[in-house]
Amino acid sequence: MMTASLSTAPAAAPLGLWQRLGVALYRRPGLQLALLLGLPLMWFLLVYIGSLATLLVQSFFTFDDFTMEVSRELTLANYQQLLQPANFDVVLRTLAMASAVTLAAAVLAFPLAYYMVRYARGWKKGCFYVAVMLPMWASYIVKVYAWTVLLAKDGIVYWGYQHLGLAGVVDWLMTIPLLGGNSLTTSHLGRFAVFTYIWLPFMILPVQAALERVPLGLMQASSDLGASGAQTFRHVVLPLAFPGVVAGSIFTFSLTLGDYIIPQLIGPSGLFIGSMVYTMQGSIGNMPLAAAFTVVPVLIIALYLTGARKLGAFDAL
């Protein structure tokens, strides 16, 4: 009887196409990973790496100043031109501004992020988040043009420091060669202020995320062991939150390094790397030299990211 019942048992239904595919993917994790990452990796290799490789190759092409044509004759003349005083000054000017903006953004962002994490509660914390994110929702061009009006001699900034009795201080700052100009709109100080304002949210958010990971118990233990508030901040909070500062500096430094709109609208005459590339490519048509200038921030950012990775910045993103 048992043999008869087994012989009459219904056969298992054959698996469908999607079921067989699911079993095959389950048994072959490598195939599943290849299907999952194949398209993004193809886009990364073709579009991103491919464009950078094309840019690098073009930086070795030759540009004829007489015919204004680019030939495929390979040369190192474009990189030799980068070492000329005028071009090298562009690189140094851009590096100095990017470093100053990054440092200022870190100094401004840390106390604000610390207050958001440790003291703001409920609706106040939500308001801080909205206040930090709100400028990022506005158009970049609109914000920069708005600052040209704010920093003008008849703008609100001029009106503010006049009524605060700081006109003499601002006039003195305008006489300093590396800061001043005819007005805040045409000064390095004004350009620095606009850069800092535009990229400040990109520093606040990584620092805030890093401070959120600092255990409150460590700060309480430091206080119980007799450490002052300054000692707790220096030896406990700052080392643990420093990767967040480095992570934010990746954004502020790299974005300032490649920007070409703010240097054209705010500050005195003087090209930055981004505006130099725009001029070489758009106005003159010297693509090889423009490509050589573009390689400079790529190399700088590559070195910067290498150092940031060693400092643990990627864990704070």
Side-chain angles (χ1 to χ4, degrees):
M1 295 295 294
M2 184 177 298
T3 305
S5 62
L6 290 174
S7 62
T8 58
L15 296 177
L17 176 62
W18 292 109
Q19 291 174 322
R20 292 198 301 270
L21 181 60
V23 172
L25 292 176
Y26 178 77
R27 293 177 177 176
R28 297 176 177 83
L31 178 60
Q32 183 179 359
L33 183 63
L35 292 176
L36 182 64
L37 299 179
L39 188 61
L41 285 177
M42 185 180 300
W43 178 91
F44 181 79
L45 291 174
L46 293 179
V47 178
Y48 188 74
I49 301 298
S51 61
L52 288 180
T54 303
L55 187 70
L56 179 62
V57 172
Q58 286 184 344
S59 67
F60 294 101
F61 287 172
T62 301
F63 178 75
D64 193 327
D65 294 329
F66 181 74
T67 62
M68 307 293 287
E69 293 181 354
V70 178
S71 64
R72 295 178 179 271
E73 182 182 352
L74 300 183
T75 179
L76 293 175
N78 300 311
Y79 289 98
Q80 292 174 353
Q81 290 186 47
L82 293 180
L83 299 178
Q84 294 179 358
N87 294 330
F88 194 67
D89 183 65
V90 172
V91 177
L92 293 180
R93 186 185 305 119
T94 308
L95 278 175
M97 180 61 71
S99 302
V101 170
T102 299
L103 180 61
V107 172
L108 294 174
F110 204 99
L112 181 59
Y114 188 83
Y115 184 86
M116 291 170 59
V117 172
R118 296 303 178 195
Y119 298 102
R121 294 292 182 270
W123 64 271
K124 293 182 180 180
K125 193 168 188 176
C127 288
F128 270 102
Y129 277 107
V130 172
V132 172
M133 298 290 292
L134 193 61
M136 302 173 67
W137 300 346
S139 170
Y140 170 83
I141 298 294
V142 171
K143 290 186 290 187
V144 176
Y145 271 108
W147 272 100
T148 62
V149 178
L150 293 174
L151 295 177
K153 286 191 174 181
D154 295 329
I156 187 65
V157 175
Y158 176 82
W159 177 87
Y161 70 71
Q162 286 283 342
H163 282 73
L164 291 174
L166 299 176
V169 177
V170 175
D171 292 339
W172 173 74
L173 289 174
M174 291 300 99
T175 61
I176 300 177
L178 296 179
L179 292 178
N182 295 328
S183 65
L184 285 174
T185 310
T186 59
S187 65
H188 290 289
L189 182 62
R191 179 182 288 163
F192 163 78
V194 176
F195 266 128
T196 305
Y197 164 80
I198 293 293
W199 308 134
L200 183 60
F202 294 90
M203 176 66 78
I204 295 175
L205 296 178
V207 174
Q208 179 269 332
L211 288 172
E212 289 280 4
R213 299 189 183 99
V214 178
L216 185 60
L218 290 180
M219 300 173 63
Q220 294 174 346
S222 176
S223 178
D224 293 340
L225 292 173
S228 62
Q231 290 174 327
T232 300
F233 175 80
R234 180 182 176 184
H235 297 288
V236 178
V237 178
L238 187 58
L240 293 176
F242 186 71
V245 178
V246 180
S249 71
I250 295 174
F251 297 105
T252 56
F253 185 80
S254 60
L255 291 172
T256 305
L257 202 63
D259 194 284
Y260 70 96
I261 295 178
I262 293 177
Q264 289 183 339
L265 300 179
I266 307 290
S269 60
L271 295 173
F272 277 49
I273 291 179
S275 53
M276 190 69 175
V277 172
Y278 177 80
T279 302
M280 289 292 105
Q281 178 183 356
S283 302
I284 302 176
N286 191 346
M287 283 295 298
L289 185 58
F293 264 104
T294 308
V295 170
V296 174
V298 172
L299 293 178
I300 293 173
I301 293 301
L303 294 174
Y304 196 86
L305 290 177
T306 302
R309 181 177 178 275
K310 293 181 179 180
L311 293 174
F314 292 171
D315 297 331
L317 292 176

